[in-house]
Amino acid sequence: MEELDLILDKEVEIQRKLKIKPIEGSYNSYVVNEKEKWDWSGNIYLACVAAILAIAFFT
């Protein structure tokens, strides 16, 4: 049970790509654009379930 608690309490660091541009006409002000990485695990799971259902339907 303690191992499960450790897994659930574990923080996951997400690496992000930041694009920082200075704002024209201002002093020491910047625009920060953030692009997150796409999490493919949900899509892969959904594709596997769809494939299993398709195989079951056509056999």
Side-chain angles (χ1 to χ4, degrees):
M1 192 62 150
E2 292 176 359
E3 184 176 306
L4 180 61
D5 293 336
L6 291 174
I7 292 171
L8 294 177
D9 291 337
K10 185 177 180 182
E11 292 184 15
V12 178
E13 293 185 24
I14 299 174
Q15 293 183 356
R16 300 180 290 187
K17 291 185 177 182
L18 298 176
K19 194 172 192 179
I20 301 172
K21 294 182 182 179
I23 299 174
E24 293 182 22
S26 66
Y27 177 74
N28 207 17
S29 297
Y30 299 92
V31 174
V32 178
N33 293 326
E34 180 178 356
K35 294 183 180 180
E36 290 189 29
K37 292 182 178 179
W38 188 263
D39 182 20
W40 288 96
S41 61
N43 292 344
I44 293 171
Y45 176 75
L46 182 61
C48 291
V49 170
I52 291 170
L53 290 174
I55 291 169
F57 181 74
F58 289 114
T59 57

